[in-house]
Amino acid sequence: MSRTPARLDDLDLAILTAMHEYQKAGILELSRRTRVARATVQSRIARMEEAGVIASYDPQIDVTAAGFDVQAFVTLEIAQGALEEVGVDLDAIPGVLEAYATTGTGDVLCRIGADSHAGLQAVLLSIDRTSSVVRSHSVVVLSTVVPHRTLPLLRTLTPAGSSKAPAYRAAH
C-alpha cells in the first residue's frame, strides 16, 4: 500500500524533535516544549501517525547492550522470483534483525546479530540453508560510525509552510 508523503512544516519537525529528545514525554510536556496548545500537538501527532510518519512507539533497543555484540551485514543472492519466500525464511531466523530488497549484485541486504562469533556462524549457516538463498557474502561490523537516525534527513525538507499555531510562529 502506497501512501502520499506527508508535508511536514516547522512545527511538525519541532514536535518530532521534542519526541526524539524527550522520548517519555506526554502530549502536555510536548506542548510545553514546543510552546503550542496541547490540542495542536495532539492533532499534529495524530496526523503524522495516520500518514505513517510516526511509525511506532517501540523502544529503541541496543542489541549490543543486551549482549548481542557481534553484528554483520549479509548480502544475499536469491533464486529468481523468490523474494517473498526468502522473506518468510529470514523472518523465522531470530538473528536476522532487518532485511531489505536491493538493487546491484545482491538481491537482499540483511543486518544480523549474535552473542558470539559462534552464534554469528550459526545465523549465517541458517541463512545459507534456506532453499531460496543461492549465495551469501557477509561483513562483520567493527563499530558504529553513525547510529540510526532520521531527524537530520527530515530537517532537509522544505517546510510545507508556516504553522497555524500563533505561539509557535512568534517564538520561532
mmCIF file of all heavy atoms in Angstrom, residues 42-91:
data_model
loop_
_atom_site.group_PDB
_atom_site.id
_atom_site.type_symbol
_atom_site.label_atom_id
_atom_site.label_comp_id
_atom_site.label_asym_id
_atom_site.label_seq_id
_atom_site.Cartn_x
_atom_site.Cartn_y
_atom_site.Cartn_z
ATOM 1 N N GLN A 42 -1.512 17.360 19.847
ATOM 2 C CA GLN A 42 -2.238 16.093 19.726
ATOM 3 C C GLN A 42 -2.733 15.870 18.296
ATOM 4 O O GLN A 42 -2.590 14.776 17.741
ATOM 5 C CB GLN A 42 -3.407 16.079 20.700
ATOM 6 C CG GLN A 42 -3.981 14.715 20.955
ATOM 7 C CD GLN A 42 -4.827 14.705 22.219
ATOM 8 O OE1 GLN A 42 -5.213 15.746 22.749
ATOM 9 N NE2 GLN A 42 -5.106 13.524 22.707
ATOM 10 N N SER A 43 -3.279 16.910 17.673
ATOM 11 C CA SER A 43 -3.787 16.744 16.303
ATOM 12 C C SER A 43 -2.645 16.556 15.309
ATOM 13 O O SER A 43 -2.768 15.782 14.355
ATOM 14 C CB SER A 43 -4.671 17.928 15.897
ATOM 15 O OG SER A 43 -3.914 19.102 15.754
ATOM 16 N N ARG A 44 -1.524 17.251 15.517
ATOM 17 C CA ARG A 44 -0.363 17.087 14.631
ATOM 18 C C ARG A 44 0.185 15.663 14.737
ATOM 19 O O ARG A 44 0.514 15.044 13.730
ATOM 20 C CB ARG A 44 0.733 18.093 14.967
ATOM 21 C CG ARG A 44 0.389 19.536 14.679
ATOM 22 C CD ARG A 44 0.208 19.760 13.170
ATOM 23 N NE ARG A 44 0.035 21.161 12.869
ATOM 24 C CZ ARG A 44 0.949 21.919 12.297
ATOM 25 N NH1 ARG A 44 2.118 21.437 11.959
ATOM 26 N NH2 ARG A 44 0.702 23.191 12.049
ATOM 27 N N ILE A 45 0.300 15.154 15.957
ATOM 28 C CA ILE A 45 0.805 13.792 16.147
ATOM 29 C C ILE A 45 -0.154 12.797 15.498
ATOM 30 O O ILE A 45 0.282 11.866 14.802
ATOM 31 C CB ILE A 45 1.037 13.487 17.635
ATOM 32 C CG1 ILE A 45 2.256 14.261 18.136
ATOM 33 C CG2 ILE A 45 1.216 11.983 17.868
ATOM 34 C CD1 ILE A 45 2.488 14.169 19.631
ATOM 35 N N ALA A 46 -1.451 12.983 15.682
ATOM 36 C CA ALA A 46 -2.438 12.083 15.073
ATOM 37 C C ALA A 46 -2.319 12.090 13.551
ATOM 38 O O ALA A 46 -2.380 11.044 12.901
ATOM 39 C CB ALA A 46 -3.849 12.477 15.504
ATOM 40 N N ARG A 47 -2.122 13.292 12.979
ATOM 41 C CA ARG A 47 -1.976 13.398 11.519
ATOM 42 C C ARG A 47 -0.717 12.676 11.042
ATOM 43 O O ARG A 47 -0.732 11.960 10.044
ATOM 44 C CB ARG A 47 -1.940 14.873 11.102
ATOM 45 C CG ARG A 47 -1.857 15.077 9.591
ATOM 46 C CD ARG A 47 -1.872 16.544 9.197
ATOM 47 N NE ARG A 47 -0.855 17.351 9.835
ATOM 48 C CZ ARG A 47 0.421 17.403 9.420
ATOM 49 N NH1 ARG A 47 0.828 16.698 8.395
ATOM 50 N NH2 ARG A 47 1.293 18.176 10.060
ATOM 51 N N MET A 48 0.392 12.835 11.802
ATOM 52 C CA MET A 48 1.643 12.168 11.411
ATOM 53 C C MET A 48 1.562 10.654 11.602
ATOM 54 O O MET A 48 2.140 9.898 10.825
ATOM 55 C CB MET A 48 2.831 12.773 12.176
ATOM 56 C CG MET A 48 3.177 14.183 11.703
ATOM 57 S SD MET A 48 4.683 14.860 12.437
ATOM 58 C CE MET A 48 4.136 15.300 14.077
ATOM 59 N N GLU A 49 0.811 10.213 12.602
ATOM 60 C CA GLU A 49 0.592 8.770 12.772
ATOM 61 C C GLU A 49 -0.213 8.212 11.599
ATOM 62 O O GLU A 49 0.134 7.179 11.023
ATOM 63 C CB GLU A 49 -0.164 8.490 14.079
ATOM 64 C CG GLU A 49 0.644 8.685 15.321
ATOM 65 C CD GLU A 49 -0.180 8.624 16.594
ATOM 66 O OE1 GLU A 49 -1.432 8.734 16.536
ATOM 67 O OE2 GLU A 49 0.425 8.474 17.656
ATOM 68 N N GLU A 50 -1.288 8.918 11.242
ATOM 69 C CA GLU A 50 -2.149 8.486 10.140
ATOM 70 C C GLU A 50 -1.386 8.435 8.816
ATOM 71 O O GLU A 50 -1.585 7.544 8.000
ATOM 72 C CB GLU A 50 -3.355 9.420 10.024
ATOM 73 C CG GLU A 50 -4.374 8.942 9.020
ATOM 74 C CD GLU A 50 -5.601 9.838 9.016
ATOM 75 O OE1 GLU A 50 -6.175 10.061 10.099
ATOM 76 O OE2 GLU A 50 -5.964 10.312 7.923
ATOM 77 N N ALA A 51 -0.472 9.387 8.618
ATOM 78 C CA ALA A 51 0.320 9.437 7.383
ATOM 79 C C ALA A 51 1.470 8.428 7.399
ATOM 80 O O ALA A 51 2.122 8.225 6.380
ATOM 81 C CB ALA A 51 0.874 10.845 7.187
ATOM 82 N N GLY A 52 1.730 7.821 8.559
ATOM 83 C CA GLY A 52 2.815 6.846 8.647
ATOM 84 C C GLY A 52 4.166 7.462 8.959
ATOM 85 O O GLY A 52 5.166 6.749 9.013
ATOM 86 N N VAL A 53 4.223 8.786 9.169
ATOM 87 C CA VAL A 53 5.489 9.433 9.520
ATOM 88 C C VAL A 53 5.964 8.900 10.868
ATOM 89 O O VAL A 53 7.112 8.526 11.042
ATOM 90 C CB VAL A 53 5.353 10.978 9.548
ATOM 91 C CG1 VAL A 53 6.615 11.634 10.087
ATOM 92 C CG2 VAL A 53 5.027 11.490 8.153
ATOM 93 N N ILE A 54 5.052 8.867 11.842
ATOM 94 C CA ILE A 54 5.338 8.227 13.125
ATOM 95 C C ILE A 54 4.864 6.792 12.972
ATOM 96 O O ILE A 54 3.670 6.515 12.948
ATOM 97 C CB ILE A 54 4.616 8.934 14.290
ATOM 98 C CG1 ILE A 54 5.091 10.375 14.400
ATOM 99 C CG2 ILE A 54 4.854 8.174 15.597
ATOM 100 C CD1 ILE A 54 4.329 11.212 15.421
ATOM 101 N N ALA A 55 5.832 5.902 12.821
ATOM 102 C CA ALA A 55 5.509 4.511 12.500
ATOM 103 C C ALA A 55 5.374 3.632 13.726
ATOM 104 O O ALA A 55 4.776 2.557 13.654
ATOM 105 C CB ALA A 55 6.578 3.936 11.574
ATOM 106 N N SER A 56 5.943 4.058 14.860
ATOM 107 C CA SER A 56 5.946 3.182 16.020
ATOM 108 C C SER A 56 6.333 3.948 17.272
ATOM 109 O O SER A 56 6.984 4.989 17.201
ATOM 110 C CB SER A 56 6.956 2.050 15.779
ATOM 111 O OG SER A 56 7.150 1.292 16.935
ATOM 112 N N TYR A 57 5.942 3.396 18.390
ATOM 113 C CA TYR A 57 6.379 3.911 19.680
ATOM 114 C C TYR A 57 7.182 2.844 20.419
ATOM 115 O O TYR A 57 7.338 2.899 21.629
ATOM 116 C CB TYR A 57 5.181 4.357 20.531
ATOM 117 C CG TYR A 57 4.534 5.603 19.991
ATOM 118 C CD1 TYR A 57 3.415 5.536 19.166
ATOM 119 C CD2 TYR A 57 5.057 6.850 20.282
ATOM 120 C CE1 TYR A 57 2.833 6.681 18.663
ATOM 121 C CE2 TYR A 57 4.480 8.004 19.774
ATOM 122 C CZ TYR A 57 3.362 7.914 18.967
ATOM 123 O OH TYR A 57 2.791 9.059 18.465
ATOM 124 N N ASP A 58 7.710 1.901 19.666
ATOM 125 C CA ASP A 58 8.540 0.862 20.263
ATOM 126 C C ASP A 58 9.806 1.486 20.833
ATOM 127 O O ASP A 58 10.347 2.432 20.256
ATOM 128 C CB ASP A 58 8.961 -0.182 19.213
ATOM 129 C CG ASP A 58 7.788 -1.015 18.724
ATOM 130 O OD1 ASP A 58 6.741 -1.030 19.387
ATOM 131 O OD2 ASP A 58 7.932 -1.641 17.665
ATOM 132 N N PRO A 59 10.309 0.934 21.940
ATOM 133 C CA PRO A 59 11.571 1.473 22.460
ATOM 134 C C PRO A 59 12.714 1.131 21.518
ATOM 135 O O PRO A 59 12.692 0.104 20.839
ATOM 136 C CB PRO A 59 11.739 0.749 23.804
ATOM 137 C CG PRO A 59 10.941 -0.503 23.661
ATOM 138 C CD PRO A 59 9.806 -0.176 22.726
ATOM 139 N N GLN A 60 13.708 2.005 21.463
ATOM 140 C CA GLN A 60 14.913 1.711 20.690
ATOM 141 C C GLN A 60 15.771 0.794 21.549
ATOM 142 O O GLN A 60 16.195 1.181 22.628
ATOM 143 C CB GLN A 60 15.671 2.981 20.348
ATOM 144 C CG GLN A 60 14.956 3.853 19.358
ATOM 145 C CD GLN A 60 15.764 5.100 19.014
ATOM 146 O OE1 GLN A 60 16.844 5.317 19.511
ATOM 147 N NE2 GLN A 60 15.199 5.913 18.144
ATOM 148 N N ILE A 61 15.997 -0.394 21.074
ATOM 149 C CA ILE A 61 16.742 -1.386 21.839
ATOM 150 C C ILE A 61 18.140 -1.518 21.251
ATOM 151 O O ILE A 61 18.296 -1.755 20.056
ATOM 152 C CB ILE A 61 16.015 -2.744 21.829
ATOM 153 C CG1 ILE A 61 14.650 -2.581 22.496
ATOM 154 C CG2 ILE A 61 16.855 -3.810 22.524
ATOM 155 C CD1 ILE A 61 13.735 -3.763 22.335
ATOM 156 N N ASP A 62 19.137 -1.355 22.087
ATOM 157 C CA ASP A 62 20.523 -1.520 21.684
ATOM 158 C C ASP A 62 20.880 -2.993 21.882
ATOM 159 O O ASP A 62 21.078 -3.435 23.017
ATOM 160 C CB ASP A 62 21.426 -0.619 22.523
ATOM 161 C CG ASP A 62 22.883 -0.679 22.111
ATOM 162 O OD1 ASP A 62 23.303 -1.671 21.477
ATOM 163 O OD2 ASP A 62 23.614 0.265 22.440
ATOM 164 N N VAL A 63 20.933 -3.746 20.784
ATOM 165 C CA VAL A 63 21.201 -5.188 20.908
ATOM 166 C C VAL A 63 22.588 -5.465 21.458
ATOM 167 O O VAL A 63 22.805 -6.469 22.124
ATOM 168 C CB VAL A 63 20.962 -5.947 19.578
ATOM 169 C CG1 VAL A 63 19.486 -5.915 19.196
ATOM 170 C CG2 VAL A 63 21.832 -5.439 18.467
ATOM 171 N N THR A 64 23.533 -4.565 21.219
ATOM 172 C CA THR A 64 24.872 -4.731 21.772
ATOM 173 C C THR A 64 24.818 -4.680 23.298
ATOM 174 O O THR A 64 25.394 -5.525 23.977
ATOM 175 C CB THR A 64 25.822 -3.646 21.227
ATOM 176 O OG1 THR A 64 25.850 -3.738 19.806
ATOM 177 C CG2 THR A 64 27.229 -3.808 21.770
ATOM 178 N N ALA A 65 24.105 -3.709 23.836
ATOM 179 C CA ALA A 65 23.967 -3.584 25.288
ATOM 180 C C ALA A 65 23.214 -4.771 25.876
ATOM 181 O O ALA A 65 23.407 -5.117 27.041
ATOM 182 C CB ALA A 65 23.262 -2.285 25.637
ATOM 183 N N ALA A 66 22.382 -5.413 25.069
ATOM 184 C CA ALA A 66 21.616 -6.570 25.531
ATOM 185 C C ALA A 66 22.412 -7.874 25.425
ATOM 186 O O ALA A 66 21.891 -8.936 25.728
ATOM 187 C CB ALA A 66 20.315 -6.685 24.741
ATOM 188 N N GLY A 67 23.675 -7.782 24.999
ATOM 189 C CA GLY A 67 24.519 -8.972 24.956
ATOM 190 C C GLY A 67 24.776 -9.548 23.580
ATOM 191 O O GLY A 67 25.449 -10.567 23.444
ATOM 192 N N PHE A 68 24.254 -8.906 22.552
ATOM 193 C CA PHE A 68 24.462 -9.386 21.178
ATOM 194 C C PHE A 68 25.445 -8.450 20.488
ATOM 195 O O PHE A 68 25.090 -7.666 19.616
ATOM 196 C CB PHE A 68 23.128 -9.458 20.427
ATOM 197 C CG PHE A 68 22.173 -10.423 21.065
ATOM 198 C CD1 PHE A 68 21.240 -9.994 21.991
ATOM 199 C CD2 PHE A 68 22.243 -11.770 20.756
ATOM 200 C CE1 PHE A 68 20.376 -10.887 22.604
ATOM 201 C CE2 PHE A 68 21.383 -12.670 21.359
ATOM 202 C CZ PHE A 68 20.448 -12.228 22.289
ATOM 203 N N ASP A 69 26.709 -8.538 20.917
ATOM 204 C CA ASP A 69 27.699 -7.565 20.465
ATOM 205 C C ASP A 69 28.420 -7.938 19.180
ATOM 206 O O ASP A 69 29.328 -7.233 18.760
ATOM 207 C CB ASP A 69 28.693 -7.250 21.574
ATOM 208 C CG ASP A 69 29.394 -8.468 22.127
ATOM 209 O OD1 ASP A 69 28.979 -9.587 21.829
ATOM 210 O OD2 ASP A 69 30.377 -8.285 22.874
ATOM 211 N N VAL A 70 28.009 -9.010 18.531
ATOM 212 C CA VAL A 70 28.566 -9.357 17.223
ATOM 213 C C VAL A 70 27.462 -9.119 16.189
ATOM 214 O O VAL A 70 26.389 -9.704 16.275
ATOM 215 C CB VAL A 70 29.050 -10.826 17.166
ATOM 216 C CG1 VAL A 70 29.588 -11.153 15.784
ATOM 217 C CG2 VAL A 70 30.095 -11.090 18.242
ATOM 218 N N GLN A 71 27.744 -8.219 15.259
ATOM 219 C CA GLN A 71 26.775 -7.922 14.207
ATOM 220 C C GLN A 71 27.466 -7.998 12.858
ATOM 221 O O GLN A 71 28.680 -7.828 12.760
ATOM 222 C CB GLN A 71 26.172 -6.537 14.398
ATOM 223 C CG GLN A 71 25.308 -6.427 15.637
ATOM 224 C CD GLN A 71 24.670 -5.068 15.741
ATOM 225 O OE1 GLN A 71 24.116 -4.546 14.774
ATOM 226 N NE2 GLN A 71 24.727 -4.485 16.930
ATOM 227 N N ALA A 72 26.678 -8.240 11.835
ATOM 228 C CA ALA A 72 27.216 -8.309 10.478
ATOM 229 C C ALA A 72 26.139 -7.878 9.487
ATOM 230 O O ALA A 72 24.941 -7.897 9.795
ATOM 231 C CB ALA A 72 27.672 -9.728 10.162
ATOM 232 N N PHE A 73 26.597 -7.485 8.319
ATOM 233 C CA PHE A 73 25.708 -7.244 7.185
ATOM 234 C C PHE A 73 25.936 -8.376 6.210
ATOM 235 O O PHE A 73 27.082 -8.760 5.942
ATOM 236 C CB PHE A 73 26.005 -5.887 6.525
ATOM 237 C CG PHE A 73 25.556 -4.734 7.361
ATOM 238 C CD1 PHE A 73 26.436 -4.092 8.218
ATOM 239 C CD2 PHE A 73 24.239 -4.292 7.310
ATOM 240 C CE1 PHE A 73 26.021 -3.034 9.005
ATOM 241 C CE2 PHE A 73 23.816 -3.232 8.097
ATOM 242 C CZ PHE A 73 24.715 -2.607 8.947
ATOM 243 N N VAL A 74 24.860 -8.928 5.687
ATOM 244 C CA VAL A 74 24.940 -10.058 4.783
ATOM 245 C C VAL A 74 24.187 -9.710 3.502
ATOM 246 O O VAL A 74 23.024 -9.311 3.553
ATOM 247 C CB VAL A 74 24.336 -11.336 5.413
ATOM 248 C CG1 VAL A 74 24.481 -12.520 4.474
ATOM 249 C CG2 VAL A 74 24.974 -11.631 6.759
ATOM 250 N N THR A 75 24.874 -9.832 2.381
ATOM 251 C CA THR A 75 24.241 -9.639 1.082
ATOM 252 C C THR A 75 23.888 -11.008 0.538
ATOM 253 O O THR A 75 24.729 -11.912 0.507
ATOM 254 C CB THR A 75 25.201 -8.918 0.115
ATOM 255 O OG1 THR A 75 25.594 -7.677 0.694
ATOM 256 C CG2 THR A 75 24.534 -8.665 -1.225
ATOM 257 N N LEU A 76 22.641 -11.167 0.129
ATOM 258 C CA LEU A 76 22.172 -12.449 -0.380
ATOM 259 C C LEU A 76 21.850 -12.363 -1.869
ATOM 260 O O LEU A 76 21.251 -11.388 -2.322
ATOM 261 C CB LEU A 76 20.892 -12.887 0.350
ATOM 262 C CG LEU A 76 20.928 -12.942 1.870
ATOM 263 C CD1 LEU A 76 19.549 -13.326 2.402
ATOM 264 C CD2 LEU A 76 21.984 -13.922 2.340
ATOM 265 N N GLU A 77 22.258 -13.383 -2.581
ATOM 266 C CA GLU A 77 21.758 -13.594 -3.935
ATOM 267 C C GLU A 77 20.727 -14.685 -3.792
ATOM 268 O O GLU A 77 20.997 -15.731 -3.200
ATOM 269 C CB GLU A 77 22.891 -14.027 -4.865
ATOM 270 C CG GLU A 77 23.916 -12.939 -5.112
ATOM 271 C CD GLU A 77 25.051 -13.402 -6.005
ATOM 272 O OE1 GLU A 77 24.806 -14.221 -6.921
ATOM 273 O OE2 GLU A 77 26.181 -12.951 -5.773
ATOM 274 N N ILE A 78 19.535 -14.427 -4.326
ATOM 275 C CA ILE A 78 18.455 -15.396 -4.153
ATOM 276 C C ILE A 78 17.976 -15.917 -5.498
ATOM 277 O O ILE A 78 18.255 -15.326 -6.542
ATOM 278 C CB ILE A 78 17.275 -14.786 -3.370
ATOM 279 C CG1 ILE A 78 16.638 -13.620 -4.126
ATOM 280 C CG2 ILE A 78 17.726 -14.342 -1.981
ATOM 281 C CD1 ILE A 78 15.358 -13.082 -3.486
ATOM 282 N N ALA A 79 17.263 -17.034 -5.445
ATOM 283 C CA ALA A 79 16.684 -17.612 -6.663
ATOM 284 C C ALA A 79 15.709 -16.602 -7.262
ATOM 285 O O ALA A 79 15.025 -15.870 -6.542
ATOM 286 C CB ALA A 79 15.973 -18.912 -6.331
ATOM 287 N N GLN A 80 15.668 -16.556 -8.589
ATOM 288 C CA GLN A 80 14.808 -15.597 -9.273
ATOM 289 C C GLN A 80 13.353 -15.781 -8.838
ATOM 290 O O GLN A 80 12.840 -16.899 -8.799
ATOM 291 C CB GLN A 80 14.928 -15.758 -10.785
ATOM 292 C CG GLN A 80 14.263 -14.632 -11.531
ATOM 293 C CD GLN A 80 14.693 -14.595 -12.986
ATOM 294 O OE1 GLN A 80 15.629 -15.261 -13.397
ATOM 295 N NE2 GLN A 80 13.996 -13.793 -13.766
ATOM 296 N N GLY A 81 12.726 -14.678 -8.461
ATOM 297 C CA GLY A 81 11.323 -14.696 -8.079
ATOM 298 C C GLY A 81 11.056 -15.196 -6.669
ATOM 299 O O GLY A 81 9.906 -15.413 -6.299
ATOM 300 N N ALA A 82 12.107 -15.359 -5.853
ATOM 301 C CA ALA A 82 11.932 -15.956 -4.523
ATOM 302 C C ALA A 82 11.945 -14.932 -3.390
ATOM 303 O O ALA A 82 12.182 -15.288 -2.238
ATOM 304 C CB ALA A 82 13.018 -17.008 -4.291
ATOM 305 N N LEU A 83 11.666 -13.675 -3.696
ATOM 306 C CA LEU A 83 11.751 -12.640 -2.671
ATOM 307 C C LEU A 83 10.773 -12.892 -1.515
ATOM 308 O O LEU A 83 11.140 -12.782 -0.351
ATOM 309 C CB LEU A 83 11.506 -11.258 -3.277
ATOM 310 C CG LEU A 83 11.703 -10.071 -2.334
ATOM 311 C CD1 LEU A 83 13.122 -10.038 -1.773
ATOM 312 C CD2 LEU A 83 11.392 -8.770 -3.060
ATOM 313 N N GLU A 84 9.548 -13.228 -1.839
ATOM 314 C CA GLU A 84 8.551 -13.488 -0.784
ATOM 315 C C GLU A 84 8.967 -14.693 0.057
ATOM 316 O O GLU A 84 8.900 -14.657 1.287
ATOM 317 C CB GLU A 84 7.177 -13.712 -1.406
ATOM 318 C CG GLU A 84 6.067 -13.774 -0.370
ATOM 319 C CD GLU A 84 4.696 -13.844 -1.021
ATOM 320 O OE1 GLU A 84 4.459 -13.145 -2.016
ATOM 321 O OE2 GLU A 84 3.866 -14.614 -0.492
ATOM 322 N N GLU A 85 9.423 -15.746 -0.583
ATOM 323 C CA GLU A 85 9.859 -16.954 0.128
ATOM 324 C C GLU A 85 11.050 -16.656 1.038
ATOM 325 O O GLU A 85 11.089 -17.088 2.190
ATOM 326 C CB GLU A 85 10.229 -18.053 -0.874
ATOM 327 C CG GLU A 85 10.677 -19.345 -0.234
ATOM 328 C CD GLU A 85 11.122 -20.373 -1.267
ATOM 329 O OE1 GLU A 85 10.668 -20.307 -2.424
ATOM 330 O OE2 GLU A 85 11.933 -21.241 -0.884
ATOM 331 N N VAL A 86 12.034 -15.914 0.534
ATOM 332 C CA VAL A 86 13.197 -15.597 1.365
ATOM 333 C C VAL A 86 12.793 -14.703 2.530
ATOM 334 O O VAL A 86 13.335 -14.824 3.625
ATOM 335 C CB VAL A 86 14.356 -14.996 0.538
ATOM 336 C CG1 VAL A 86 14.169 -13.507 0.266
ATOM 337 C CG2 VAL A 86 15.686 -15.204 1.243
ATOM 338 N N GLY A 87 11.813 -13.841 2.334
ATOM 339 C CA GLY A 87 11.315 -13.012 3.426
ATOM 340 C C GLY A 87 10.734 -13.854 4.551
ATOM 341 O O GLY A 87 11.002 -13.609 5.729
ATOM 342 N N VAL A 88 9.967 -14.864 4.189
ATOM 343 C CA VAL A 88 9.395 -15.777 5.190
ATOM 344 C C VAL A 88 10.510 -16.541 5.898
ATOM 345 O O VAL A 88 10.509 -16.671 7.129
ATOM 346 C CB VAL A 88 8.387 -16.753 4.528
ATOM 347 C CG1 VAL A 88 7.968 -17.846 5.490
ATOM 348 C CG2 VAL A 88 7.176 -15.979 4.020
ATOM 349 N N ASP A 89 11.488 -17.031 5.122
ATOM 350 C CA ASP A 89 12.609 -17.785 5.706
ATOM 351 C C ASP A 89 13.424 -16.919 6.667
ATOM 352 O O ASP A 89 13.766 -17.351 7.769
ATOM 353 C CB ASP A 89 13.535 -18.328 4.610
ATOM 354 C CG ASP A 89 12.882 -19.410 3.757
ATOM 355 O OD1 ASP A 89 11.870 -19.993 4.200
ATOM 356 O OD2 ASP A 89 13.385 -19.651 2.641
ATOM 357 N N LEU A 90 13.745 -15.699 6.264
ATOM 358 C CA LEU A 90 14.553 -14.813 7.100
ATOM 359 C C LEU A 90 13.806 -14.399 8.364
ATOM 360 O O LEU A 90 14.394 -14.267 9.432
ATOM 361 C CB LEU A 90 15.000 -13.580 6.316
ATOM 362 C CG LEU A 90 15.968 -13.832 5.160
ATOM 363 C CD1 LEU A 90 16.208 -12.547 4.371
ATOM 364 C CD2 LEU A 90 17.278 -14.421 5.657
ATOM 365 N N ASP A 91 12.504 -14.191 8.236
ATOM 366 C CA ASP A 91 11.686 -13.803 9.384
ATOM 367 C C ASP A 91 11.697 -14.888 10.466
ATOM 368 O O ASP A 91 11.548 -14.588 11.649
ATOM 369 C CB ASP A 91 10.250 -13.511 8.926
ATOM 370 C CG ASP A 91 9.430 -12.856 10.019
ATOM 371 O OD1 ASP A 91 9.901 -11.866 10.610
ATOM 372 O OD2 ASP A 91 8.316 -13.346 10.292
#
